[in-house]
Amino acid sequence: MLEIVQIPVLRDNYVYILHDAVSGETAVVDPAVAEPVEAALTERGWALTHIFNTHHHADHTGANLALKVAHEARIIGPAAERDRIPGLDIAVGDGDIVALGDHEARVFDVPGHTSGHIAYHFADNDALFCGDTLFSMGCGRLFEGTADQMWSSLSKFITLPDETRVFCAHEYTEANGRFALTIEPHNKALVRRMDEVKALRAANKPTVPSTIGIEKATNPFLRASSEELQDTVGMIGAPLPRIFAEVRTRKDHF
């Protein structure tokens, strides 16, 4: 199994380091800043070989060039944003395979938050690195894409096994949960999840990773088919992409 190290940086970002002990290959996912990454690598005696970007925003690519120069690491990122990824070496898109040692990640095109956002799914490790597309009980704002695009992107994640761990890029869970409760106040799984989240945050512990199973049960942006949700937004029986769009609009103004 890949060893995964979760590093909190900036105000609420998470950077992830992935290490394959057999090959010694090590990747960092969406490095916002270099110093905490360097400290984690030094502490473990690991040599950085890869940088995986999910999209072009600076809080996901800010340390690309510094880490590339320091370690001669290869930068892999979305082909649709190739001109906006600092130092990009390998451009990938939907269905491509990215390897770290003997571990392979399938790339998903998941536009919506940005026009060329991608995610990396390591099926053999039950791990999804989804950047700002999916959050615990939330999803990314539609800065460059449309609601239809984001619903299509999130629908790809819904098909993944329930045990898939969701390594998203921000600690937004408690705020997302407060909104989710306005949409499905009687969702027992959601109420239980919020109790867990409040306890974790009170202890200054992360709520991430979540799992696909948890998200399907609690995340309003994956639950357009829920009767309670449809009733709350007054769209019973409406097309699911339209229901999603209404929920996203409500979150934007929450």
Side-chain angles (χ1 to χ4, degrees):
M1 296 288 286
L2 287 172
E3 185 170 351
I4 301 173
V5 178
Q6 181 171 322
I7 307 172
V9 302
L10 304 178
R11 186 176 67 178
D12 51 36
N13 281 67
Y14 288 125
V15 172
Y16 300 100
I17 297 178
L18 319 181
H19 178 69
D20 174 40
V22 176
S23 68
E25 292 189 345
T26 305
V28 61
V29 181
D30 285 346
V33 289
E35 291 80 2
V37 175
E38 295 284 17
L41 293 170
T42 299
E43 178 183 351
R44 293 164 177 81
W46 294 346
L48 188 68
T49 56
H50 298 74
I51 297 168
F52 298 157
N53 291 142
T54 61
H55 63 294
H56 68 86
H57 285 163
D59 63 328
H60 295 255
T61 63
N64 271 21
L65 296 180
L67 292 171
K68 179 177 183 176
V69 170
H71 299 275
E72 298 183 353
R74 289 174 293 169
I75 298 178
I76 300 170
E81 297 183 5
R82 67 175 73 240
D83 295 330
R84 298 194 283 178
I85 303 293
L88 183 67
D89 296 300
I90 302 171
V92 295
D94 204 58
D96 286 340
I97 300 297
V98 173
L100 188 70
D102 290 332
H103 301 278
E104 292 185 341
R106 178 187 173 189
V107 175
F108 291 102
D109 280 344
V110 285
H113 181 64
T114 66
S115 60
H117 201 300
I118 62 174
Y120 302 87
H121 177 223
F122 287 88
D124 62 342
N125 285 267
D126 295 323
L128 174 70
F129 297 90
C130 51
D132 287 358
T133 296
L134 176 65
F135 298 127
S136 182
M137 291 193 282
C139 76
R141 286 181 177 270
L142 306 179
F143 288 130
E144 298 177 6
T146 67
D148 282 349
Q149 284 180 316
M150 183 62 97
W151 174 250
S152 177
S153 296
L154 293 173
S155 295
K156 295 179 180 181
F157 297 155
I158 292 173
T159 67
L160 297 177
D162 284 354
E163 61 270 21
T164 304
R165 293 172 293 168
V166 178
F167 292 94
C168 58
H170 290 275
E171 182 57 69
Y172 290 161
T173 311
E174 189 169 10
N176 287 340
R178 288 195 293 269
F179 169 74
L181 285 169
T182 70
I183 301 296
E184 287 191 292
H186 304 296
N187 180 336
K188 293 180 180 179
L190 172 58
V191 172
R192 288 195 300 270
R193 173 64 170 153
M194 272 302 287
D195 288 342
E196 295 171 356
V197 166
K198 288 178 182 178
L200 287 168
R201 296 312 292 156
N204 198 32
K205 295 181 178 179
T207 64
V208 176
S210 178
T211 68
I212 290 295
I214 290 172
E215 295 311 305
K216 286 163 59 176
T218 63
N219 190 326
F221 298 105
L222 302 185
R223 293 180 54 78
S225 59
S226 159
E227 291 183 6
E228 181 184 2
L229 184 151
Q230 292 184 8
D231 184 54
T232 297
V233 301
M235 299 180 70
I236 293 176
L240 299 186
R242 284 184 53 206
I243 296 169
F244 166 81
E246 174 62 22
V247 176
R248 182 62 260 179
T249 298
R250 290 184 179 217
K251 179 62 164 64
D252 290 343
H253 296 91
F254 179 67

